[in-house]
Amino acid sequence: MQALSARIYQTRWFSWILIILKQLSALQELRGRWLLGELLREWFHVAKSYYSLPATRFQTRMVVSQPALGRMLCRALHAIPRSPQIEPSFLTFSKGLDTRGSKLRQYAVRCSRFKSTPLEAILSFPASSVFQDEQSGAGGYWSSNERDVTPACRLTPTTSHQVAVVVAKLARSRCRFAVRGGGHMFWAGAANIEDGVTIDLSHMNRISVSRDQTLTAVGPGARWQDVYALLDSMNLSIVGGRAGSVGVSGLTLGGGNSYFAPRYGIACDGVASFEVVLADGQTVIASPAQHPDLYKALRGGGNNFGIVTQFNFRTFQQGKIWAGFVIQPPSTALENLQRLQDFNTASGNGIDNYATNNQVHQWDANGRSLVINIVVYTKPETDPPILRPFTTLHPQLSNDLRITNLNDIVKEGTPTNRQRNAWASFSFANNATILAKVLEFADEAFAPIKNITGFSGFFSFQPINRAIISHMSSFGGNSLAPADIVYGLNYGVGYNDSDDDEQVYAISKALFEKVEVYTRSQGRHEEFIYMNYALPSQQVIASYGKENVDFLRGVSRKYDPHQVFQQLVPGGFKL
């Protein structure tokens, strides 16, 4: 049975109850006064407290905990006369909310019962401005796919203790929930949940540096631009993200490529310890010395084990850098690909671990539009030899390479997005011919959708070389398993209209399947899928290899024996 959403106005609401009771009394399903009592208890509890609206009216999203009562209430409400005092469209149905069994208590009523508790201060409902801002305002989700998902309520904790209390309550009631850090993952349901409960960590954004400047404590709601703003001012840094608006939590738990990766590894390898709230509400520290198995699992294992409420990053001295964007026409694509292959080989051999280059090929409605080399050298030295192949290739449409700080370059690399998105991730061996073929496949794939509203497409080739991989085994290792010198390929499509979702996702899936068939036929395919760019249908955890999968599942069973984060948290990539 579909969920029932009703707008109920105070005018004549008592007479409506009488009408409903009259209808209920005529139904054979109503056997016993306890059913009527349960119906009224649930109805009044939700109706009075579910939304905070002006005194002249209130509204409720109403569901019923017994299937029979749900059927009866539907029939009764349909019998209410449409008077001038009643909004004609007050009765609507929603696909998202399931009325079966205990779903009522898991969603609407469960949210309402956080009221009149110490957690009421962090509770918001869809009618409130706080909720709307966290959904779609300045503090909202990056992708409109996620903004369109509406939970029954949001809880926005400011302390790990509040997180622990919330998780324990939701776990005991078997209520489905989502966890949001920065909210940058593109797909619907990654960090939000339709009609469930979203735990929003955005207010847990404190950043502090230890007195000896060897550790930086970062809250899960912080964004990289805020982290670097503080650390740049102190001539310090940590291994972190390359786009300023991306959240610390999701990027780090998924791995986290970085401009410092050849020197120190990826972001998860730079974490000295995690503060983690487990499914039973217990808070533990995961480090090489304490719970080392959980520590390893969190380094690339996603949101499968608990909620990280603080990341403690190893911190190093870091001054200015030389960096910028070199933008060229698509006619330079083949030469750029060959130079990228050569650079990756040299960088992987450890020739200069201060250098990184990410190469992006873009499309618009007219086809291929730009080639962008994001050139970064993490020393204040101009035009180092290893990066000259990208700085000397012409023609160039623009070139803003300069001595700057890290926060400046990550802000330049931050996409402003109010669109819908579909991304995917691939890995394959270092070979320019393979890269060129992938671009040809993209030309074919984008042709049917190039005229949809707001279309843009891109492929980003991001080297994962020996220098980066060598750090992954440090401090007990991480959960990932990339091969030697590969490309982590980030594919993406941006567009405006939800009506195009099905076509865009179908084309995306077909494209990465075609790439996989081709790279396998050439003996160049690699299994590894980078979590933070993956399409939701991709088997990310399986790509880590059987040994790692078995390890991660064992850690999950040990720290989450009731499988709360597997069964009640559908977002993310499950084990």
Side-chain angles (χ1 to χ4, degrees):
M1 139 142 191
Q2 288 181 312
L4 182 63
S5 299
R7 292 183 183 272
I8 303 176
Y9 289 78
Q10 285 182 332
T11 307
R12 296 183 61 192
W13 73 296
F14 185 72
S15 65
W16 296 356
I17 296 175
L18 296 179
I19 295 171
I20 291 172
L21 294 179
K22 183 177 179 181
Q23 293 293 320
L24 291 174
S25 65
L27 297 171
Q28 292 185 355
E29 290 112 315
L30 185 59
R31 296 188 182 276
R33 295 172 60 185
W34 69 271
L35 275 176
L36 177 58
E38 180 172 339
L39 171 62
L40 292 177
R41 255 194 325 272
E42 303 291 14
W43 185 22
F44 288 134
H45 183 81
V46 180
K48 288 169 121 179
S49 62
Y50 186 52
Y51 282 108
S52 299
L53 288 180
T56 55
R57 67 175 190 173
F58 63 89
Q59 67 180 20
T60 178
R61 184 169 299 200
M62 188 184 304
V63 294
V64 182
S65 56
Q66 298 292 333
L69 293 179
R71 291 192 296 271
M72 289 186 284
L73 188 57
C74 285
R75 297 172 192 173
L77 286 174
H78 274 298
I80 295 174
R82 300 292 190 267
S83 70
Q85 289 81 14
I86 302 174
E87 184 182 87
S89 60
F90 87 102
L91 185 62
T92 60
F93 288 84
S94 164
K95 294 180 180 179
L97 203 59
D98 189 347
T99 62
R100 293 170 296 177
S102 63
K103 295 295 183 182
L104 173 63
R105 290 173 178 82
Q106 294 177 3
Y107 303 121
V109 168
R110 177 57 60 191
C111 288
S112 294
R113 288 174 183 171
F114 282 113
K115 288 196 168 189
S116 301
T117 76
L119 297 174
E120 183 173 7
I122 65 169
L123 176 68
S124 64
F125 292 103
S128 74
S129 59
V130 172
F131 183 104
Q132 292 300 323
D133 183 63
E134 291 174 358
Q135 252 325 90
S136 55
Y141 291 91
W142 177 74
S143 174
S144 70
N145 308 59
E146 277 280 68
R147 293 194 298 272
D148 288 350
V149 177
T150 305
C153 67
R154 304 181 73 84
L155 289 156
T156 309
T158 58
T159 68
S160 58
H161 174 70
Q162 288 177 334
V163 174
V165 173
V166 169
V167 169
K169 285 179 178 289
L170 296 177
R172 283 195 300 270
S173 62
R174 302 301 292 174
C175 181
R176 287 158 64 88
F177 62 98
V179 183
R180 179 219 172 166
H184 198 272
M185 194 61 174
F186 72 92
W187 51 275
N192 208 2
I193 186 166
E194 187 69 30
D195 291 315
V197 177
T198 294
I199 302 173
D200 190 323
L201 305 176
S202 59
H203 289 191
M204 296 180 67
N205 55 9
R206 184 171 178 269
I207 306 158
S208 63
V209 179
S210 65
R211 183 166 298 185
D212 64 1
Q213 298 189 340
T214 62
L215 289 175
T216 299
V218 183
R223 299 176 188 271
W224 289 108
Q225 60 196 18
D226 303 316
V227 175
Y228 297 143
L230 173 63
L231 296 181
D232 281 349
S233 70
M234 304 173 70
N235 290 321
L236 300 172
S237 201
I238 61 177
V239 181
R242 300 162 300 170
S245 66
V246 170
V248 168
S249 185
L251 179 128
T252 304
L253 294 175
N257 210 339
S258 172
Y259 294 133
F260 296 115
R263 290 166 59 190
Y264 300 109
I266 57 180
C268 68
D269 298 324
V271 180
S273 65
F274 303 86
E275 180 185 79
V276 193
V277 172
L278 303 179
D280 62 359
Q282 181 185 182
T283 301
V284 302
I285 300 297
S287 71
Q290 303 177 70
H291 308 291
D293 51 352
L294 179 60
Y295 172 71
K296 178 178 178 178
L298 289 167
R299 292 169 63 184
N303 67 350
N304 288 296
F305 311 100
I307 298 178
V308 176
T309 50
Q310 183 169 295
F311 298 82
N312 297 308
F313 286 92
R314 298 180 190 88
T315 305
F316 50 87
Q317 296 292 315
Q318 178 63 48
K320 298 283 188 178
I321 64 175
W322 182 73
F325 284 44
V326 180
I327 301 178
Q328 298 166 298
S331 59
T332 64
L334 293 181
E335 182 60 30
N336 261 303
L337 294 176
Q338 184 59 55
R339 295 186 183 204
L340 186 62
Q341 175 187 317
D342 297 342
F343 166 79
N344 199 28
T345 300
S347 178
N349 289 334
I351 290 178
D352 192 335
N353 287 343
Y354 289 85
T356 62
N357 183 70
N358 299 325
Q359 192 172 105
V360 183
H361 296 252
Q362 291 190 342
W363 282 255
D364 60 21
N366 297 315
R368 295 192 205 183
S369 57
L370 297 172
V371 179
I372 304 171
N373 284 293
I374 305 172
V375 177
V376 175
Y377 195 68
T378 56
K379 283 183 179 180
E381 298 179 9
T382 301
D383 206 22
I386 193 171
L387 291 170
R388 283 177 192 160
F390 305 110
T391 63
T392 58
L393 180 60
H394 290 273
Q396 295 180 2
L397 302 177
S398 67
N399 179 331
D400 67 357
L401 286 162
R402 73 273 191 193
I403 301 293
T404 184
N405 59 41
L406 186 58
N407 200 32
D408 182 43
I409 198 67
V410 300
K411 285 183 176 179
E412 183 177 2
T414 297
T416 301
N417 186 45
R418 304 299 291 179
Q419 285 189 300
R420 306 188 75 74
N421 293 271
W423 287 14
S425 177
F426 319 86
S427 294
F428 42 81
N430 182 36
N431 182 275
T433 302
I434 297 290
L435 301 183
K437 193 66 175 178
V438 168
L439 297 185
E440 291 178 15
F441 291 153
D443 290 334
E444 299 169 4
F446 291 154
I449 58 174
K450 66 180 183 181
N451 292 320
I452 64 176
T453 305
F455 168 79
S456 64
F458 72 88
F459 269 90
S460 175
F461 297 117
Q462 304 183 24
I464 306 173
N465 57 43
R466 285 193 198 103
I468 297 172
I469 295 168
S470 69
H471 299 288
M472 293 187 179
S473 59
S474 62
F475 305 102
N478 64 32
S479 303
L480 311 178
D484 187 21
I485 307 187
V486 301
Y487 285 101
L489 173 60
N490 175 201
Y491 148 87
V493 173
Y495 57 104
N496 292 346
D497 196 337
S498 61
D499 290 343
D500 295 318
D501 283 353
E502 185 175 348
Q503 183 182 17
V504 170
Y505 273 77
I507 284 174
S508 301
K509 186 173 184 293
L511 175 57
F512 77 70
E513 288 174 350
K514 189 172 185 177
V515 170
E516 179 177 344
V517 169
Y518 173 72
T519 54
R520 285 189 186 279
S521 72
Q522 302 300 305
R524 299 285 185 170
H525 177 74
E526 300 293 346
E527 297 295 338
F528 175 68
I529 299 171
Y530 179 50
M531 179 182 292
N532 293 342
Y533 297 153
L535 202 66
S537 60
Q538 292 187 274
Q539 300 301 306
V540 172
I541 301 297
S543 79
Y544 294 179
K546 184 179 186 303
E547 183 178 348
N548 279 341
V549 171
D550 290 344
F551 166 75
L552 293 172
R553 288 175 176 168
V555 173
S556 173
R557 289 191 295 270
K558 177 180 177 180
Y559 292 96
D560 183 10
H562 298 293
Q563 296 293 277
V564 168
F565 286 94
Q566 298 305 302
Q567 298 172 9
L568 300 184
V569 184
F573 294 91
K574 302 291 99 175
L575 304 178

